[in-house]
Amino acid sequence: MNPGFGGGGFHNERATTVDPVPYALLKQARHSGQLNLSNRSLAEIPAKVWKINTDIPEEAENVSLGEDNERWWDQIDLVKLIAASNQLKTIPDDIQNLPALTVIDFHDNHINEISDEVGSLQELVKVNISHNELETLPSSLCRLEKLVSLHITDNKLTELPDEFGYMT
């Protein structure tokens, strides 16, 4: 058998990896306050997302005061984070690095654990964690005073925190 033929077609020696969260997407999020990471096959949210409000962006390296350039120092904090339809298993402690969030949407993942740090996000108005594998909810979720919408359907919840009944 000739090694150059058969066996399923052509093979590219240099495999290219695609950044699931390209820099342009983060740059846009710094100006809009919204980041949509849906359908990116993410097993976890990259560290650069959790640091979006604190890391100095690349455009800061070439500071120009001309009118035609966007001013990186005018960036706004992330207020909306959507990471639906991925392979996420947790919402980690790092979520506390995004205190201005008003909306988080992590529906349709494999999340079985939510950090108690979600309770530090006092601006949260809407949380969608439906269609996951949660068995419990952190009690800190119940202390979110501005929360208006909480979607938790289609999980493996068998009980709710005692504080759940005191939510306003």
Side-chain angles (χ1 to χ4, degrees):
M1 178 174 201
N2 187 337
F5 295 101
F10 298 101
H11 178 68
N12 185 352
E13 293 294 325
R14 292 182 293 163
T16 58
T17 57
V18 177
D19 187 354
V21 184
Y23 177 74
L25 190 62
L26 291 178
K27 182 177 178 182
Q28 179 185 12
R30 284 187 180 101
H31 295 287
S32 70
Q34 301 180 32
L35 181 58
N36 188 339
L37 300 175
S38 297
N39 295 307
R40 293 183 177 268
S41 301
L42 297 173
E44 62 183 18
I45 303 289
K48 62 185 174 183
V49 171
W50 301 126
K51 296 176 183 179
I52 192 170
N53 293 338
T54 56
D55 278 355
I56 297 174
E58 286 179 16
E59 58 264 34
E61 296 173 5
N62 299 318
V63 175
S64 171
L65 301 177
E67 293 296 320
D68 57 339
N69 290 336
E70 295 181 46
R71 298 182 307 188
W72 62 267
W73 56 85
D74 285 339
Q75 79 179 30
I76 61 174
D77 285 344
L78 202 60
V79 293
K80 187 174 187 179
L81 177 59
I82 303 170
S85 302
N86 281 295
Q87 307 299 317
L88 302 173
K89 293 186 186 309
T90 66
I91 298 178
D93 290 350
D94 293 325
I95 198 152
Q96 69 184 330
N97 296 335
L98 303 173
L101 285 175
T102 60
V103 175
I104 57 172
D105 185 346
F106 285 76
H107 79 273
D108 194 24
N109 276 284
H110 303 286
I111 296 172
N112 57 23
E113 182 182 1
I114 298 176
S115 168
D116 211 37
E117 295 300 330
V118 73
S120 68
L121 304 177
Q122 289 300 307
E123 299 303 314
L124 274 179
V125 174
K126 181 178 179 182
V127 174
N128 186 349
I129 48 176
S130 61
H131 300 276
N132 277 289
E133 299 173 10
L134 291 165
E135 294 180 10
T136 62
L137 293 175
S139 60
S140 66
L141 193 61
C142 302
R143 293 190 294 269
L144 298 172
E145 295 179 8
K146 294 183 180 179
L147 192 63
V148 175
S149 177
L150 175 62
H151 296 274
I152 56 174
T153 60
D154 292 308
N155 275 288
K156 297 178 179 179
L157 296 170
T158 56
E159 63 182 352
L160 296 172
D162 292 338
E163 297 89 347
F164 196 80
Y166 299 107
M167 292 178 74
T168 56

